[in-house]
Amino acid sequence: MPSYTVTVATGSQWFAGTDDYVYLSLEGTAGCSQRHLLDKPFYNDFERGAVDSYDVTVEEDLGEIQLIKVEKRKYWYQDDWYLKYITVKTPMGDYLEFPCYRWITDEKEIVLRDGRAKLPRDDKTHILKQHRRKELEIRQKMYRWKEWHPGFPLSIDALSHSDLPRDIQFDNEKGIDFILNYSKAMENLYVNRFMHMFQSSWSDFADFERIFVRISNTISEYVMQHWKEDFMFGYQFLNGCNPVLIRRCTEIPKKLPVTMDMVECSLERNLTLEEEVKQGNIFVVDYELLDGVDANKTDPCTIQYLAAPICLLYKNLENKIVPIAIQLGQKPGPDNPIFLPSDATYDWLLAKIWVRSSDFHIHQTVTHLLRTHLVSEVFSIAMFRQLPAVHPLFKLLVPHMRFTIAINTKAREQLICECGLFDKANATGGGGHVQMVQKAMKDLTYSSLCFPEEIKAKGMDSKEDIPYYYYRDDGIRVWEAVKSFAEDVIHIYYESDEVVCEDVELQAFVKDIYVYGMRGVKASGFPKVIRTREKLAEYLTVIIFTTSAQHAAVNFGQYDWCSWIPNAPPTMRCPPPTEKGTVTIEQIVESLPDRGRSCWHLGAVWALSQFQDNELFLGMYPDEHFVEKPVKEAMAKFRKNLDEIVNAITERNKNKKLPYYYLSPDRIPNSVAV
C-alpha cells in the first residue's frame, strides 16, 4: 500500500506546542485518505520548536495531493497550537510543502494548500476554487471594519487585544502592555520618584537633567548640549524624528508678513528676501493644522496650551538650514508678533520651544499615528479580507502586517482612548488628537505616501541644493530597493497587464482600501482599480515602504530627539507670548511640562523607541510562505540591495556627531509593531 511521509513543524514561540490529539487527512486528485491520528508511542508529539515525522499509509494512490486537512481535538485542557508547516513525501519521492504559520485553537480544523502561489485564474478544479472562496468567507467574518471615530480610516472591529483573531495577536500580550511598559521605562530611567509630581515645576533647565539619562556620545546627549542653537533647531526639520514637514518656500505666505528689514541681518548672500525665495534658499514649516484644536482639559489643576506657528527658515552659505522668523499664531496682528533671531535671547528661545512643541504634536498624531499606524492597519485588514493565503500578494505582504492590528488595538485600548495614557502628558490629549486626525485626513493622499513624489512636491528633491537631507537620500534608496523587489515578484506571477486586470482578488483588495480605509474620498487619489503591472509595483511599494521604512523613520528616533524635554515639550502650561521683551527664564520654565508630565513623556518616548523582542528587519523572511525558487532568488537579490544600502549608510555615518541611521535597513522592522 502507498505510504506518505508527513513532517510537521511546530512554532518556537512560547506556548506554541500542544498535547491535544492531532489528526491529518490527505486529499488528492484521485481520492482522499482516511483521518489519521498523528501519534508516536512513548513520545511527546508537537512540542515547542519540534519537527516530527509520521508515516501515513493509504489503500491506494491519491494522485496529486491538493489539500491537507489538520484537526485538533482536546486531550485535557484548552491548548492552542502554532503550526509552522507540513511537508509531504509522496510514494514517488516528491516533496510537497504546505506552509501554515497559524494558530489552531480550540477543537478547530484547518485546510492547507501546497505552498505554490496561485492567482484565481490558475485554479481549474472545483475543490481548489471552493477552498479559496471559503477561506475568504471565513476571514471576512473574522476581520470586520469598524469606525472608531468619525472621519478616521476604518479599523478592526475589536474592543480589546483579546478580541482579535488568535493569528494576529501578540505572542505575549504583556510585552505590548503600554501601562506596564511605560512604568518599566520610568523605573529603568530612575524617574519614577517624580511620576506623580504633577503641577510641580522644575527649577531651571539644568533641573531637567535630574530625569535625563546621560548616555555618552549619543544623539540624545548631543541634543541636550546644543538644543538652544539655531543650527540644531533647523537640522531637526531635515533629520529629526519628524522630517516630513519642511518645504521649499515659493512665496512668502500672506499670513506671515515678514519684511526685508526684519530678516536682513540673517541673510548672507546680499540678496533681498524675494531674491532669496527665487533662488530657493527659503523654506517654510506651517503648523496650521493645530489652529482651533482644543487643548487638554482633563486635569482641572493645570491649564494647557497649544499654538499653530509658522516658521520661516533659511539655507545659509554653509548649506545649513536655520530659522529666521517665527510667528506663533496663524493670524497676523499686534498681539501675534514675528519673533526673530535678533530679538532678546529668551524671546527667541521661547518662540523656538513653541515650534518644537507644536512639531511634537503633529509628529505624534499625524506623521506617526495616522500616516503609519492607522494606514498600515487599513492595508492589513484589507489583505486578510480579500487575499487568500495562496495568493502571491498575500505571501508578499503578510510579513509586513505582523502585529500591526494588534498594536493599534492595544493603543485604542490603553493609549489614545478616553482617559488613556496619552491624556496624562500631552496637550493634545483629551480629544485634541482626535480633531487633528480628522483634519489631517484631507491631506492623506496616495501621492503623499509615494516617497519620491512627496519629496519632490515639497521642493526638497535636489541633493545639490539641500545636501544634508539624509532622510530623503536614504528613503529614496530604500524605496527603490523595495520597488525593485516588488517588480521582480510581480513579473513572476503576472505575465501581462491583462492578468493584473483579471485578478479579482487583487481588485477587491484595492477597492477595500479605497472604500473603507480612505472612506471612498475621490480626492485621496487612492486607486479604485489597478490595471498595469507598473502601477501594481508602485502600489505594493507604497504598502511595504509605509509599514516598514516610513514607520521606522518617524518612530525609532523619539528617544534621541524628544528625551530632552525642552527640545520637545509634550505640553505648555502658559499661553504663547503676545509681545516681545517680556520673556524671562522663569517664565520659560513655568511654561514647560511639570515634573510628573515630564516623566510620563520620558517613559513614553523610551518605550516607543525600543525594538520588539525577536524583531524581524526588512528583508528577513523566516516564515517561508513562498516555496518557488524564482521568488527566493528575488528575495536574495533584495537582501543584497539592502546590504549595500546598510554599508553606504554606515560609511557615511563614520565620525559624524549626528549620524542618521533610522532608514538603515538593518534598523527597519518589517512591520508596524510598536
Side-chain angles (χ1 to χ4, degrees):
M1 289 190 293
S3 179
Y4 295 81
T5 301
V6 175
T7 301
V8 180
T10 297
S12 57
Q13 58 268 66
W14 288 105
F15 311 113
T18 186
D19 289 323
D20 284 353
Y21 298 111
V22 174
Y23 297 89
L24 180 135
S25 309
L26 302 173
E27 191 162 345
T29 52
C32 302
S33 76
Q34 294 181 334
R35 182 172 173 256
H36 288 262
L37 173 65
L38 300 183
D39 181 52
K40 288 188 277 192
F42 311 110
Y43 179 76
N44 202 348
D45 305 276
F46 315 119
E47 287 291 283
R48 172 186 167 213
V51 178
D52 303 314
S53 293
Y54 305 88
D55 290 327
V56 175
T57 303
V58 297
E59 293 183 358
E60 54 187 33
D61 187 77
L62 303 176
E64 183 182 348
I65 302 299
Q66 294 185 306
L67 300 173
I68 288 180
K69 180 193 281 188
V70 182
E71 302 171 65
K72 187 169 75 68
R73 296 293 176 258
K74 186 175 179 180
Y75 169 68
W76 185 249
Y77 59 90
Q78 172 71 29
D79 196 14
D80 296 346
W81 177 41
Y82 188 85
L83 173 59
K84 288 177 67 177
Y85 61 82
I86 293 176
T87 61
V88 176
K89 182 183 177 184
T90 69
M92 302 296 293
D94 296 325
Y95 282 88
L96 301 173
E97 299 178 50
F98 293 79
C100 180
Y101 303 105
R102 290 170 57 190
W103 289 93
I104 305 179
T105 61
D106 304 324
E107 296 194 66
K108 298 280 179 67
E109 63 183 47
I110 194 168
V111 181
L112 303 176
R113 286 185 59 164
D114 79 83
R116 292 170 297 176
K118 301 289 183 182
L119 297 173
R121 72 198 291 264
D122 299 326
D123 286 344
K124 307 300 183 186
T125 64
H126 172 72
I127 187 171
L128 294 180
K129 290 179 181 179
Q130 184 184 44
H131 174 264
R132 195 175 196 119
R133 185 172 61 251
K134 188 175 180 182
E135 180 184 1
L136 289 181
E137 287 172 357
I138 293 169
R139 290 238 215 101
Q140 285 164 13
K141 290 176 183 175
M142 295 170 66
Y143 296 87
R144 302 174 304 278
W145 295 104
K146 182 181 179 181
E147 182 179 72
W148 189 56
H149 280 294
F152 273 50
L154 295 195
S155 50
I156 196 74
D157 184 4
L159 294 176
S160 66
H161 180 266
S162 58
D163 292 337
L164 294 172
R166 183 68 180 89
D167 287 329
I168 60 169
Q169 292 182 22
F170 279 96
D171 297 330
N172 176 12
E173 188 174 353
K174 284 184 179 178
I176 48 91
D177 186 293
F178 286 107
I179 296 171
L180 186 64
N181 285 350
Y182 282 24
S183 300
K184 270 188 194 171
M186 287 183 279
E187 186 178 331
N188 292 339
L189 297 167
Y190 304 106
V191 299
N192 41 0
R193 66 189 184 278
F194 299 113
M195 269 175 62
H196 305 294
M197 296 175 69
F198 289 85
Q199 289 84 52
S200 172
S201 296
W202 301 96
S203 304
D204 50 31
F205 292 138
D207 205 17
F208 281 98
E209 293 189 45
R210 294 177 66 186
I211 62 164
F212 182 76
V213 178
R214 187 187 290 266
I215 307 171
S216 296
N217 301 315
T218 59
I219 290 174
S220 58
E221 185 186 51
Y222 196 86
V223 170
M224 183 199 73
Q225 294 167 345
H226 298 277
W227 69 280
K228 295 180 185 178
E229 299 169 28
D230 285 355
F231 97 89
M232 174 59 81
F233 179 87
Y235 180 86
Q236 292 178 75
F237 290 113
L238 298 178
N239 301 308
C241 61
N242 194 27
V244 303
L245 298 183
I246 189 169
R247 60 172 62 243
R248 196 186 294 271
C249 182
T250 55
E251 181 183 5
I252 301 296
K254 289 184 172 56
K255 60 185 178 182
L256 181 64
V258 176
T259 65
M260 179 62 182
D261 288 343
M262 291 180 182
V263 298
E264 187 174 11
C265 62
S266 297
L267 307 182
E268 300 179 354
R269 294 179 175 84
N270 295 319
L271 301 173
T272 66
L273 180 59
E274 288 71 23
E275 288 169 339
E276 294 279 17
V277 169
K278 285 179 183 175
Q279 288 206 2
N281 297 323
I282 304 296
F283 302 84
V284 66
V285 179
D286 190 348
Y287 297 93
E288 182 180 14
L289 187 108
L290 283 163
D291 194 32
V293 171
D294 294 330
N296 192 340
K297 296 181 178 66
T298 58
D299 180 359
C301 298
T302 302
I303 301 175
Q304 300 179 60
Y305 296 90
L306 293 169
I310 311 169
C311 182
L312 209 62
L313 300 123
Y314 175 64
K315 184 184 74 172
N316 65 20
L317 290 174
E318 294 179 326
N319 284 324
K320 291 179 179 176
I321 303 292
V322 293
I324 58 172
I326 294 171
Q327 182 178 282
L328 296 180
Q330 292 288 309
K331 295 178 183 176
D335 60 348
N336 187 20
I338 296 175
F339 292 93
L340 307 166
S342 55
D343 289 340
T345 300
Y346 290 137
D347 283 3
W348 181 234
L349 181 60
L350 183 56
K352 289 191 292 180
I353 289 172
W354 267 105
V355 172
R356 293 297 310 141
S357 183
S358 300
D359 194 79
F360 175 81
H361 297 309
I362 295 288
H363 166 261
Q364 286 293 357
T365 303
V366 180
T367 307
H368 184 208
L369 173 63
L370 172 61
R371 297 180 69 87
T372 63
H373 277 261
L374 299 185
V375 168
S376 296
E377 183 175 0
V378 166
F379 298 149
S380 298
I381 298 170
M383 181 198 73
F384 282 113
R385 285 174 54 82
Q386 303 298 349
L387 299 177
V390 72
H391 198 292
L393 300 188
F394 178 90
K395 293 171 180 282
L396 175 67
L397 294 177
V398 70
H400 303 287
M401 309 301 165
R402 181 175 179 253
F403 300 145
T404 297
I405 298 174
I407 195 70
N408 285 5
T409 302
K410 202 70 181 175
R412 284 187 289 269
E413 194 181 341
Q414 293 184 327
L415 186 61
I416 55 175
C417 56
E418 189 174 348
C419 302
L421 293 175
F422 199 79
D423 289 357
K424 283 187 178 292
N426 294 285
T428 51
H433 60 302
V434 173
Q435 296 171 16
M436 289 173 68
V437 170
Q438 291 166 335
K439 292 174 73 172
M441 279 295 289
K442 69 177 177 15
D443 297 318
L444 179 58
T445 62
Y446 178 76
S447 63
S448 73
L449 296 179
C450 294
F451 189 86
E453 268 189 62
E454 178 68 351
I455 293 289
K456 190 170 185 178
K458 286 183 162 66
M460 301 294 293
D461 51 315
S462 172
K463 290 187 179 183
E464 290 73 25
D465 285 351
I466 314 160
Y468 303 122
Y469 197 11
Y470 306 127
Y471 163 74
R472 171 203 60 204
D473 300 342
D474 298 351
I476 286 175
R477 292 194 68 176
V478 174
W479 171 276
E480 292 300 332
V482 170
K483 189 177 181 186
S484 175
F485 176 48
E487 287 170 342
D488 289 345
V489 174
I490 287 166
H491 282 82
I492 293 168
Y493 296 102
Y494 294 90
E495 60 194 39
S496 67
D497 292 344
E498 185 182 1
V499 179
V500 173
C501 294
E502 290 175 357
D503 186 348
V504 293
E505 290 167 349
L506 162 63
Q507 303 304 338
F509 169 63
V510 171
K511 184 178 178 182
D512 242 30
I513 290 171
Y514 172 74
V515 171
Y516 297 107
M518 298 305 118
R519 310 302 296 266
V521 176
K522 192 174 182 181
S524 71
F526 270 75
K528 300 178 191 176
V529 295
I530 289 182
R531 294 189 172 91
T532 67
R533 293 192 293 179
E534 181 183 4
K535 192 67 178 177
L536 178 56
E538 180 187 78
Y539 195 81
L540 295 174
T541 305
V542 165
I543 293 173
I544 296 172
F545 187 88
T546 300
T547 57
S548 58
Q550 189 61 44
H551 178 255
V554 302
N555 181 74
F556 293 103
Q558 291 188 73
Y559 188 79
D560 286 346
W561 296 100
C562 303
S563 57
W564 180 245
I565 307 291
N567 188 60
T571 189
M572 297 291 277
R573 296 181 297 147
C574 296
T578 56
E579 57 182 334
K580 296 187 181 185
T582 62
V583 178
T584 63
I585 182 66
E586 290 77 18
Q587 183 183 340
I588 294 178
V589 173
E590 281 298 315
S591 296
L592 290 169
D594 56 43
R595 294 168 190 256
R597 287 180 175 82
S598 297
C599 294
W600 275 106
H601 168 81
L602 200 60
V605 297
W606 173 270
L608 291 170
S609 300
Q610 307 307 305
F611 294 121
Q612 286 283 341
D613 292 338
N614 304 316
E615 190 72 81
L616 298 176
F617 295 97
L618 196 58
M620 294 171 61
Y621 300 112
D623 292 355
E624 295 190 40
H625 292 276
F626 283 110
V627 300
E628 297 96 320
K629 186 178 178 182
V631 187
K632 293 186 175 182
E633 289 172 348
M635 287 178 174
K637 175 187 166 187
F638 182 39
R639 282 191 289 271
K640 183 173 181 292
N641 290 340
L642 294 176
D643 287 343
E644 290 174 0
I645 297 172
V646 171
N647 293 336
I649 291 173
T650 302
E651 185 63 30
R652 181 198 66 208
N653 284 338
K654 278 183 181 176
N655 303 319
K656 278 195 181 299
K657 292 177 180 175
L658 282 173
Y660 186 82
Y661 42 68
Y662 308 115
L663 281 169
S664 183
D666 59 346
R667 298 176 69 96
I668 299 175
N670 263 334
S671 62
V672 177
V674 66

